């Protein structure tokens, strides 16, 4: 049996575990919870209540290598054993050199030795600075130019991966690893040590300049302008103009993380991904150099070991962020998103529309009881988001998630094709989805659905048979076959999948033949055109 890996289905990257497709309907835990298997018991209970199949949990450098060269995997093993007992999977988040553009998870022996493991001088000559934007918080992180740091992080990560192979190479409870967390530097667009200044005044590596000039097709407009307006070779400023400082950071952070990922994958080739704190202002106001979609081409070039670039979405324009991350064959892989009142419909839409590999609300255990957090800005969140005042119903989320997971093989087979489509109220008042012979308009009239989180996922099994997962929506059908302009329902069943087999719970007819979803429904619809 192969180890977990990504495969492309109709061009979409899909995770395979034990040679079968797996969609991750997961939850990311709070940062400190995985230091306590006792606390994790409650988190597994919540994951079960929400119908999730995986948890995304930090394993930290501090935790596994408290003294240089001496590794302790007791806690890691306890977490894996627990996941197995609970019948779930894990994505491991490697908190090594970076966590939200800081280095708080590096072990003590790294933190104390600033000669061997230099800090990023975002202000020249300073190892620590204050970030005005966040009320003057004190800030420091490791330098992305620290070769010894990169080697030490790589050694630790490869020890972790070796251990995972030994412990989990057969069972594959752990299905992927995220290398670092929200990497980059805050407070400036790049480092300003003498070494960094010298490198910045030096030539751009030719392969990078060539790669970027050859790959402007889906590039962010501002970045494209810089690349096309710059020289083909020269210093960073000559080649990349206004984008130079950020590209410099992205190139060095990506190269560093690529080295860490490569060292780990030499031991155990699990899929590796990276996540980012989104750009929400000028460079320096978010971890700059991180894998934001605007820098995806730089990351692709400098970090070929990384298989997905992932957004952490805590902003209001959820759909806009998703749209911008599915370029260049990148799968939609959301390791973190706000657990607000729309999180359920966003899960369904991520799978139905973007054919997502992973969807994971952060702090999922608070779903149904989200309290606005005025400090959210300090972690990249928008605390003014009105959806944070709405709650997601837990039973509804469970229904969405478990239905999706019960039909994973069918969904995955339709990934990358028009046989799987979805509409969401967040996108507008109504939306059309057209299949071989039948079209559907998903209507979300405010009169019936004041809560604007309606959603409708439709999978065409054959031109006459559809599976529909829907809530707070009126799906209306019509023929799209010009030779047979009328359409009529043959049967409408409610039910569920058990071991891949459809089980009918209700045959709808009469008053209930109309397609409508005033609560979460899962239909099997047979329909013909004439
Ligand atoms: C993004 C980070 O990646 C998470 O670890 C966490 O800090 C969340 N922000 C919000 O708290």
């Amino acid at each position: 049996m192969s180890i977990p890996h990504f495969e492309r289905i109709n061009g979409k990257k899909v995770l395979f575990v034990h040679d079968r497709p797996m969609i991750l309907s997961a939850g990311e835990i709070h940062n400190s919870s995985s230091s306590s298997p006792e606390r994790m018991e409650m988190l597994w209970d919540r994951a079960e209540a929400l119908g999730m199949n995986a948890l995304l949990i930090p394993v930290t450098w501090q935790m596994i290598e408290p003294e240089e060269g001496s590794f302790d995997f007791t806690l890691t093993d306890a977490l894996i054993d627990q996941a197995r007992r609970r019948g779930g999977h894990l994505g491991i988040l490697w908190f090594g050199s970076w966590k939200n553009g800081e280095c708080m998870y590096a072990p003590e022996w790294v933190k104390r030795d600033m000669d061997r493991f230099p800090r990023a001088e975002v202000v020249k000559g300073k190892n620590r600075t204050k970030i005005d934007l966040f009320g003057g918080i004190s800030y420091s992180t490791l330098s992305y130019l620290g070769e010894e740091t990169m080697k030490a992080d790589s050694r630790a990560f490869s020890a972790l991966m070796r251990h995972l192979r030994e412990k989990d190479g057969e069972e594959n409870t752990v299905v992927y690893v995220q290398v670092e967390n929200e990497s980059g530097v805050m407070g400036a667009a790049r480092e300003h040590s003498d070494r960094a200044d010298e490198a910045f005044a030096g030539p751009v590596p030719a392969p990078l300049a060539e790669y970027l000039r050859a790959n402007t097709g889906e590039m962010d407009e501002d970045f494209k302008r810089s690349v096309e307006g710059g020289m083909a070779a020269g210093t960073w400023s000559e080649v990349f103009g206004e984008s130079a400082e950020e590209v410099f950071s992205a190139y060095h952070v990506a190269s560093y993380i690529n080295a860490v990922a490569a060292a780990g994958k030499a031991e155990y080739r699990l899929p590796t991904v990276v996540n980012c704190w989104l750009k929400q202002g000028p460079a320096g106001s978010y971890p700059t150099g991180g894998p934001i979609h605007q820098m995806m081409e730089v990351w692709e070039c400098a970090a070929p070991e990384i298989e997905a670039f992932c957004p952490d979405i805590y902003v209001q324009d959820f759909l806009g962020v998703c749209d911008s991350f599915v370029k260049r064959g990148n799968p939609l892989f959301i390791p973190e998103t706000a657990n607000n009142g729309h999180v359920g419909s966003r899960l369904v839409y991520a799978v139905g529309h973007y054919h997502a590999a992973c969807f994971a609300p952060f702090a999922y255990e608070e779903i149904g009881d989200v309290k606005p957090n005025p400090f959210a800005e300090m972690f990249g969140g928008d605390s003014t988001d009105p959806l944070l005042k709405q709650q997601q119903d837990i039973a509804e989320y469970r229904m969405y998630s478990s239905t999706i997971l019960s039909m994973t093989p069918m969904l995955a087979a339709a990934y990358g094709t028009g046989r799987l489509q979805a509409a969401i109220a967040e996108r507008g008042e109504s939306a059309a989805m057209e299949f071989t012979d039948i079209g559907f308009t998903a209507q979300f009239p405010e009169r019936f659905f004041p809560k604007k989180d309606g959603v409708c996922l439709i999978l065409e099994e054959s031109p006459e048979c559809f599976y529909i997962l829907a809530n707070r929506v009126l799906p209306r059908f019509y023929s799209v076959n010009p030779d047979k302009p009328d359409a009529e329902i043959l049967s409408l069943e409610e039910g569920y999948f058990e071991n891949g087999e459809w089980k009918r719970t209700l045959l709808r007819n009469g008053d209930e033949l109309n397609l409508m979803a005033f609560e979460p429904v899962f239909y099997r619809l047979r329909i013909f055109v004439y």
Side-chain angles (χ1 to χ4, degrees):
M1 205 131 26
S2 60
I3 59 174
H5 60 281
F6 278 117
E7 253 175 55
R8 282 199 190 271
I9 298 187
N10 310 306
K12 276 275 166 201
K13 270 190 181 170
V14 177
L15 183 64
F16 274 73
V17 179
H18 287 166
D19 293 327
R20 291 150 70 135
M22 177 180 278
I23 297 169
L24 293 174
S25 172
E28 184 166 326
I29 63 172
H30 271 296
N31 297 162
S32 310
S33 306
S34 60
S35 65
S36 159
E38 294 71 36
R39 177 179 293 208
M40 290 294 301
E41 284 298 331
M42 180 278 273
L43 293 177
W44 279 108
D45 293 344
R46 296 297 282 194
E48 222 166 86
L50 290 158
M52 294 170 166
N53 64 347
L55 292 187
L56 313 187
I57 64 162
V59 168
T60 73
W61 192 0
Q62 171 192 54
M63 188 161 97
I64 67 160
E65 197 184 8
E67 280 167 42
E68 185 166 11
S70 110
F71 291 95
D72 181 352
F73 294 109
T74 322
L75 189 52
T76 317
D77 287 350
L79 296 167
I80 294 173
D81 291 337
Q82 182 180 48
R84 286 179 185 166
R85 242 188 358 261
R86 302 300 298 249
H89 285 90
L90 294 174
I92 283 190
L93 317 172
W94 171 238
F95 286 9
S97 299
W98 283 285
K99 160 71 173 77
N100 301 20
E102 294 187 60
C103 62
M104 61 272 248
Y105 285 93
E108 263 188 63
W109 53 272
V110 172
K111 282 183 181 154
R112 286 178 187 275
D113 191 347
M114 295 185 206
D115 292 328
R116 190 170 158 214
F117 307 114
R119 298 295 171 95
E121 293 177 26
V122 290
V123 175
K124 195 163 198 63
K126 291 212 153 90
N127 283 333
R128 182 165 278 278
T129 182
K130 285 198 174 17
I131 309 261
D132 293 338
L133 188 71
F134 301 126
I137 59 159
S138 164
Y139 173 78
S140 181
T141 200
L142 291 159
S143 167
Y144 49 63
L145 297 172
E147 268 153 37
E148 275 299 301
T149 332
M150 192 242 289
K151 284 187 195 149
D153 190 334
S154 301
R155 273 193 298 271
F157 186 61
S158 66
L160 170 64
M161 295 301 269
R162 185 164 54 249
H163 184 77
L164 288 184
R165 172 169 46 80
E166 285 160 7
K167 164 97 185 155
D168 194 47
E170 295 283 310
E171 210 140 335
N172 300 143
T173 299
V174 180
V175 294
Y176 83 95
V177 181
Q178 177 187 292
V179 193
E180 316 292 346
N181 190 79
E182 295 189 348
S183 57
V185 290
M186 307 275 276
R190 69 169 176 91
E191 297 186 14
H192 289 277
S193 61
D194 291 345
R195 193 163 164 227
D197 285 349
E198 208 177 295
F200 187 69
V204 172
L208 176 66
E210 281 157 22
Y211 187 86
L212 294 178
R213 289 175 83 81
N215 285 282
T216 53
E218 291 177 80
M219 211 172 246
D220 164 68
E221 278 309 312
D222 290 341
F223 185 27
K224 188 173 167 180
R225 226 172 295 119
S226 302
V227 171
E228 289 180 341
M231 287 165 49
T235 67
W236 292 81
S237 299
E238 286 167 346
V239 175
F240 299 122
E242 287 190 355
S243 306
E245 295 199 306
E246 181 154 22
V247 180
F248 178 82
S249 290
Y251 175 76
H252 287 291
V253 175
S255 305
Y256 183 125
I257 291 182
N258 192 58
V260 175
K265 285 171 119 168
E267 294 294 342
Y268 186 31
R269 260 198 104 66
L270 280 184
T272 43
V273 311
V274 287
N275 68 327
C276 69
W277 173 326
L278 300 172
K279 178 182 173 82
Q280 293 161 70
S285 64
Y286 55 92
T288 305
I292 56 176
H293 72 84
Q294 294 89 336
M295 289 291 112
M296 199 184 285
E297 291 83 357
V298 179
W299 271 80
E300 269 174 12
C301 173
E305 293 289 354
I306 299 304
E307 295 162 81
F309 303 105
C310 311
D312 294 347
I313 316 180
Y314 298 94
V315 295
Q316 298 189 30
D317 186 15
F318 174 85
L319 300 174
V321 174
C322 295
D323 288 342
S324 52
F325 270 84
V326 290
K327 64 178 192 174
R328 305 183 63 77
N330 189 50
L332 184 64
F333 194 117
I334 305 177
E336 297 183 35
T337 190
N339 49 16
N340 64 31
H342 280 205
V343 67
S345 57
R346 288 174 175 182
L347 159 69
V348 176
Y349 193 68
V351 170
H353 179 76
Y354 295 105
H355 303 173
C358 173
F359 181 94
F362 183 81
Y364 64 92
E365 69 269 32
E366 287 155 19
I367 286 180
D369 187 23
V370 178
K371 298 187 183 60
N373 173 4
F375 301 112
E377 265 79 9
M378 289 176 63
F379 314 111
D382 178 355
S383 59
T384 66
D385 184 351
L387 294 185
L388 292 170
K389 297 204 179 91
Q390 291 181 19
Q391 304 296 335
Q392 169 65 51
D393 182 80
I394 294 174
E396 230 174 48
Y397 197 94
R398 178 173 60 243
M399 190 278 187
Y400 294 151
S401 182
S402 51
T403 303
I404 286 168
L405 295 178
S406 73
M407 59 190 304
T408 293
M410 296 168 79
L411 292 171
Y415 267 27
T417 74
R419 291 200 300 112
L420 176 61
Q421 300 186 40
I424 191 165
E426 225 177 303
R427 190 78 95 180
E429 273 301 293
S430 85
M433 293 166 273
E434 297 197 340
F435 298 88
T436 311
D437 279 337
I438 304 287
F440 296 86
T441 329
Q443 296 175 356
F444 308 100
E446 193 161 1
R447 169 168 161 238
F448 295 124
F449 310 119
K451 188 168 187 236
K452 297 196 149 302
D453 67 339
V455 69
C456 182
L457 171 153
I458 304 185
L459 173 71
E460 182 190 59
E461 189 188 45
S462 72
E464 291 198 349
C465 183
F466 297 86
Y467 292 97
I468 304 179
L469 171 60
N471 194 8
R472 285 187 269 280
V473 60
L474 303 177
R476 296 282 161 260
F477 62 83
Y478 53 94
S479 167
V480 292
N481 183 333
D483 301 324
K484 298 178 175 180
D486 294 307
E488 190 171 303
I489 292 180
L490 293 167
S491 66
L492 181 64
E493 300 177 354
E494 271 189 58
Y496 61 94
F497 277 104
E498 196 176 73
N499 301 321
E501 240 179 78
W502 175 252
K503 303 274 179 195
R504 184 175 85 195
T505 51
L506 196 71
L507 177 60
R508 282 185 172 250
N509 212 333
D511 293 352
E512 289 98 45
L513 188 61
N514 276 319
L515 288 177
M516 49 191 171
F518 285 90
E519 57 188 10
V521 289
F522 189 36
Y523 290 139
R524 180 173 197 262
L525 168 73
R526 291 179 49 253
I527 189 166
F528 77 116
V529 286
Y530 57 98

